[in-house]
Amino acid sequence: MATVAQSIPPVKGTRDFFPEDFAILRWLTETWRNTSRRHGFVEFDGPTLEHLELYTRKSGDEIVEQLFHLTDRGGRDLALRPEMTPTLARMVAARLGSLPRPLKWFCIPRMFRGERPQRGRLREFVQWNIDILGTDSPTADAECILVAVDALRALGLTRDDFAVHVSDRRLVAAILAALGVTSEAIPAAFDLLDKAERLPGDELARRWGESLGTRVDFARVWDALAMPDPAALRGELSKSADAAAVDPVLARFTAVLGAIQDFGITEFCKFDLRVVRGLAYYTGVVFEAYDRPREFRAILGGGRYDDLLAMFGGKPLPAVGFGMGDAVLLELLASRQLTRAVGLEPPEVFVIEAPAETGVAGQGGTVRRILATLRRAGIAAEAGYEVQAVAKQMKRAAERGVGHVIFVGDETHSRGVVAVKNMKSGEQRDVAVDALLADPAGVIGGAGGV
RNA sequence: GUGAGCGUAGCUCAGUUGGCAGAGCACCGGGUUGUGGUCCCGGGAGUCGCGGGUUCAAAUCCCGUCGCUCACCCCA
């Protein structure tokens, strides 16, 4: 019987959004959208389908295994977009000369990844992207963090729920260098630091030794990165020959922290050099937000990527931004019972047609005229398709939570009136059909407010 | 691609020395023919994931298979 549902379920890692589910997703995306606008960002979008090469050029061929790729009839290799940055880079590069800078753009695309789903990771998901392009100001770095914090607060999360861990790759690199990691080995070190908390200790030590040799002890590095504030860097770097080279980086990072302070979100942030991000293209400040108990994966991640745009557009363009996916965030919000729904609001008015006495004409036509007039006037109105017992229809109206019920029945036939009932107060009065049709907003408003 | 756990009604699940498949929620109907969410009564619904084996008898035991979940790989 229900064989389709059984034999053709949703594709693994994708989700059916029933109205009550979609209402939660809408709440989330509209909060993202409103937050973006408050902070001066404009929305853009690009195609869901892109040339495969757009992704392989930056990341190499191995990424093909991790995305959905297909071939069109002309033999072109295409991919469902697994990330937004290449599309953004192309669009910006196309109009680089004419766009006023800086650019503050956001988007809320659906994205796809061809991997096995697991907790907080799906094959189709929604990700909010915030990017500021064309400025290397430390204020822009801090502003991205401000936007992220503001959105999470708008969703109901507090300083007890999450923290943004702020770091800078160049500072981490300086510490690694001071501890003896060669510059060639730094990318591999970043990669392992990014995985450090997910890998078992022995596996981590094995890979560390494999990539970096045994001369530099991982535990030593890990401890050094736990320093509580940037000032401690000087002590850590005192032995290093080129400690002075770090000063400009440190000064800029301090400026970012100062801007965070000015924005009033210091209590939501945490200095944490153990955050480096897995991607190779970050060039400076990087940050990730986590729930405080660290029960879930990272809620968001981002940072400065000053060299990436040049790879696509030819001309360099400094940039900073972050991405925040819906999967982990919705799990966190659900665990705090903070999820809300928008778009499921009940209609303001429910029109009930009472069964007519024998010999009296039905009032279906009047019901339909009232419905259409109310809706034209901007008042959401509903009615059943069949005439049922009034008690039954009242039950439906009450369950849906409508504000007003309009009764259409024999009095409508005999006296030209309907009864308008305010469901909250219980107050009910007769209103001429003509008056209702002439001024629906006045009647409904007058019956007890919208 | 690797490893572990789990598959019984739409949902959450119960169902052990193998013996006729159940509960709650949800849904639908009714509670004396024109006004409320509670409450009462009733109803539909499942090839117990699928296939094979053992047995007089399998949701239950054995083998296989598919699916889901979680972890790993990867993390944009």
Side-chain angles (χ1 to χ4, degrees), chain A residues 315-353:
Chain A
K315 296 182 106 174
L317 191 69
V320 61
F322 69 83
M324 184 187 295
D326 69 318
V328 171
L329 186 52
L330 285 175
E331 284 187 11
L332 173 61
L333 291 165
S335 76
R336 303 292 193 276
Q337 297 178 322
L338 289 171
T339 53
R340 288 190 288 155
V342 299
L344 292 179
E345 295 77 13
E348 175 56 32
V349 172
F350 194 88
V351 184
I352 289 179
E353 180 186 358

Side-chain angles (χ1 to χ4, degrees), chain A residues 92-109:
Chain A
V92 170
R95 299 196 180 176
L96 192 54
S98 60
L99 289 169
R101 280 179 259 166
L103 268 47
K104 295 172 71 173
W105 283 12
F106 80 97
C107 63
I108 305 178

Side-chain angles (χ1 to χ4, degrees), chain A residues 28-39 41-44 84 105-111 125-131 143-152 154-155 299-301 321-327 329:
Chain A
L28 180 64
T29 55
E30 288 184 8
T31 302
W32 282 342
R33 190 166 280 117
N34 291 335
T35 302
S36 304
R37 290 188 184 131
R38 275 206 304 283
H39 292 266
F41 290 77
V42 292
E43 188 166 11
F44 76 102
M84 207 59 203
W105 283 12
F106 80 97
C107 63
I108 305 178
R110 288 209 186 207
M111 306 209 293
F125 57 97
V126 182
Q127 188 182 69
W128 179 36
N129 290 265
I130 280 281
D131 290 281
E143 188 177 25
C144 283
I145 294 170
L146 173 68
V147 173
V149 168
D150 206 17
L152 295 175
L155 292 167
I299 302 164
L300 66 92
F322 69 83
M324 184 187 295
D326 69 318
L329 186 52

Side-chain angles (χ1 to χ4, degrees), chain A residues 38-245:
Chain A
R38 275 206 304 283
H39 292 266
F41 290 77
V42 292
E43 188 166 11
F44 76 102
D45 202 351
T48 309
L49 211 49
E50 290 277 12
H51 290 284
L52 180 63
E53 192 189 357
L54 184 66
Y55 306 109
T56 56
R57 184 174 292 183
K58 184 191 79 180
S59 308
D61 290 340
E62 69 275 11
I63 201 172
V64 174
E65 302 304 316
Q66 295 150 33
L67 48 69
F68 280 99
H69 59 110
L70 57 145
T71 309
D72 74 4
R73 292 187 185 191
R76 284 172 280 262
D77 288 313
L78 306 178
L80 292 174
R81 64 183 174 200
E83 60 169 323
M84 207 59 203
T85 305
T87 302
L88 169 66
R90 177 187 63 216
M91 291 171 65
V92 170
R95 299 196 180 176
L96 192 54
S98 60
L99 289 169
R101 280 179 259 166
L103 268 47
K104 295 172 71 173
W105 283 12
F106 80 97
C107 63
I108 305 178
R110 288 209 186 207
M111 306 209 293
F112 302 84
R113 293 178 187 174
E115 57 197 353
R116 272 209 187 168
Q118 51 190 291
R119 187 171 200 204
R121 299 193 75 192
L122 300 166
R123 300 212 294 189
E124 181 185 17
F125 57 97
V126 182
Q127 188 182 69
W128 179 36
N129 290 265
I130 280 281
D131 290 281
I132 302 176
L133 309 159
T135 174
D136 57 7
S137 165
T139 300
D141 300 42
E143 188 177 25
C144 283
I145 294 170
L146 173 68
V147 173
V149 168
D150 206 17
L152 295 175
R153 293 176 75 182
L155 292 167
L157 295 166
T158 71
R159 68 177 79 85
D160 297 324
D161 294 312
F162 74 92
V164 182
H165 296 233
V166 185
S167 176
D168 190 309
R169 279 197 161 191
R170 289 173 298 179
L171 297 179
V172 177
I175 291 172
L176 290 172
L179 292 176
V181 176
T182 61
S183 57
E184 304 82 59
I186 295 251
F190 280 164
D191 184 52
L192 285 173
L193 287 171
D194 183 54
K195 294 183 168 74
E197 305 202 26
R198 295 192 295 268
L199 286 175
D202 51 344
E203 171 73 7
L204 182 64
R206 190 184 62 75
R207 291 210 215 170
W208 183 268
E210 220 168 65
S211 303
L212 296 138
T214 50
R215 199 162 61 85
V216 185
D217 180 49
F218 173 79
R220 172 90 179 81
V221 170
W222 195 242
D223 286 346
L225 293 176
M227 67 182 62
D229 57 77
L233 265 163
R234 298 202 166 274
E236 192 62 50
L237 296 175
S238 58
K239 309 174 276 287
S240 177
D242 50 7

Side-chain angles (χ1 to χ4, degrees), chain A residues 15-29 110 126 326 330 339-344:
Chain A
R15 294 164 289 177
D16 284 334
F17 289 94
F18 288 88
E20 59 272 26
D21 307 317
F22 193 68
I24 292 172
L25 185 66
R26 262 194 65 190
W27 165 69
L28 180 64
T29 55
R110 288 209 186 207
V126 182
D326 69 318
L330 285 175
T339 53
R340 288 190 288 155
V342 299
L344 292 179

